[in-house]
Amino acid sequence: MNALTARTRFSVLDRSRTREGHPPAEALRDTVALARELEPLGYHRFWVSEHHGVPGVAGSAPTVLAAAVAAATRTIRVGTGGVMLPNHQPLVVAEQFGVLESLYPGRIDMGLGRSVGFTGGVRKALGRDRDDAEDFAAQLGELLGWFEGTSPTGVRARPAEGLRVPPFVLAMGEGAGIAARAGLPMVIGDLRNREKMRRGIDHYRDRFRPSPWAAEPYVVISGTIAVADTPEAARRLLVPEAWSMAYARTHGSFPPLPPAESVETRTMTAKERGFYESGLTGQLAGTEEQVADELETVLKETAADEVLVTTSTYDRTALLDSYRRLASIVRPQTGPDLGPVRTVRTA
């Protein structure tokens, strides 16, 4: 095993992607089932996401889904990647995570993002505007204050106050600077744009201020990783998501994942084809040996503490096989403890 890979935690974000011909409810059940399958493989965290009004994603209530995942597992950490804080009142978010931590102590993570609704209609339905993302730093400070008991309102967030639910900032745009100033762990993607990722990581580490939540910088890099017995099979895992992204960029709606074989025979416009090919480029995909070598390179470039794998595909059997193969790369003798990392405070 490569040295850096052996010292790095690997975790999973499953976005509950819907699939053509399958109801959205099945995507949610698939997420819970995947968490059960990945737990004994040694993955450290299992996170779920938040999307509203998106045909291709069933996960609209991440704290509810996280509760289902935590109930179905025993040791793996469970959290969100993330709760989009501008969509919610910080008090309510604190209460939700306080309940989760109270039910599953020592296992809950609080991944937080600054995005608002995907479309104008969704933002209107949520009572939010694009500009609400600009208040993220203040919202983040308010949220942490509920856990610390420092709210000037005199209100107490119960059962959150006094609990230590590790917060992570999803770094998009200004997110790296916000995470650094707040002294919080940072999640940054994606693996296709290494130079941009490195700039964000450098910015974060240079400006990090220690806090009660983290004594030093903690970097989680995120992106797609697909492993199969041949490079061609690994590439086919990428096909459904690449097409869905191409469709979203050309039609404004993110669709359910189609089977790879239907995409490969589909007639595309030049614009669609360009976005589709771009989606297949730069991902970490290949055999175990190829992916192991590429992972070691990425970890040398970034000095990341953790890797959050975000792979989505139509074929759930092939997806699970990919995660099993990846686990064999990063932890040949699997187990829940993936080794020492820098301090991130937990309960």
Side-chain angles (χ1 to χ4, degrees), residues 7-8 18 23 99 115 137 158 215 239 263 282 285 338 340 343:
R7 296 198 300 267
T8 304
T18 59
V99 169
S115 294
R158 306 188 189 278
V239 165
V263 175
L338 294 189
T343 301

Side-chain angles (χ1 to χ4, degrees), residues 17-91:
R17 292 286 276 111
T18 59
R19 298 181 291 159
E20 287 184 1
H22 297 262
E26 186 176 331
L28 298 173
R29 292 192 293 267
D30 284 343
T31 292
V32 176
L34 182 62
R36 281 197 298 260
E37 294 279 2
L38 296 187
E39 184 173 50
L41 297 179
Y43 288 98
H44 185 60
R45 311 178 201 276
F46 189 95
W47 283 5
V48 296
S49 64
E50 174 183 338
H51 296 271
H52 299 283
V54 179
V57 184
S60 56
T63 53
V64 176
L65 185 53
V69 170
T73 55
R74 295 181 59 232
T75 57
I76 196 168
R77 296 194 65 87
V78 177
T80 56
V83 164
M84 296 302 151
L85 197 49
N87 292 336
H88 310 280
Q89 291 296 328
L91 170 61

Side-chain angles (χ1 to χ4, degrees), residues 117-149:
F118 182 63
T119 66
V122 170
R123 290 190 291 273
K124 183 177 180 181
L126 290 170
R128 296 294 186 265
D129 189 79
R130 285 185 183 274
D131 293 340
D132 289 315
E134 301 307 313
D135 297 327
F136 178 69
Q139 295 160 351
L140 181 62
E142 181 183 343
L143 172 62
L144 299 180
W146 290 116
F147 285 94
E148 295 167 330

Side-chain angles (χ1 to χ4, degrees), residues 153-304:
T153 65
V155 176
R156 315 298 282 272
R158 306 188 189 278
E161 187 174 317
L163 297 180
R164 308 301 296 184
V165 182
F168 296 75
V169 172
L170 276 62
M172 294 175 286
E174 294 298 314
I178 292 171
R181 291 189 295 273
L184 300 181
M186 176 187 72
V187 183
I188 187 168
D190 66 33
L191 293 171
R192 290 181 300 167
N193 192 335
R194 310 281 180 82
E195 182 56 37
K196 182 179 180 181
M197 177 185 283
R198 286 195 297 269
R199 288 198 303 270
I201 292 171
D202 290 343
H203 181 85
Y204 167 71
R205 288 189 174 125
D206 290 344
R207 291 161 177 78
F208 183 86
R209 301 173 184 171
S211 77
W213 298 94
E216 55 189 354
Y218 188 91
V219 174
V220 183
I221 58 173
S222 68
T224 295
I225 303 176
V227 192
D229 59 349
T230 67
E232 294 75 23
R235 184 182 184 277
R236 292 195 85 226
L237 284 168
L238 307 177
V239 165
E241 182 78 4
W243 165 248
S244 291
M245 290 297 296
Y247 186 92
R249 291 196 170 194
T250 52
H251 295 78
S253 177
F254 198 62
L257 294 172
E261 54 269 22
S262 73
V263 175
E264 291 168 339
T265 59
R266 191 165 299 186
T267 301
M268 302 182 194
T269 66
K271 192 172 184 180
E272 288 172 340
R273 176 66 65 180
F275 283 125
Y276 171 67
E277 295 293 345
S278 175
L280 296 173
T281 303
Q283 311 281 16
L284 269 65
T287 64
E288 286 95 324
E289 183 178 1
Q290 291 171 326
V291 170
D293 289 343
E294 191 63 25
L295 274 173
E296 193 74 2
T297 298
V298 172
L299 292 172
K300 285 177 181 176
E301 291 175 351
T302 62

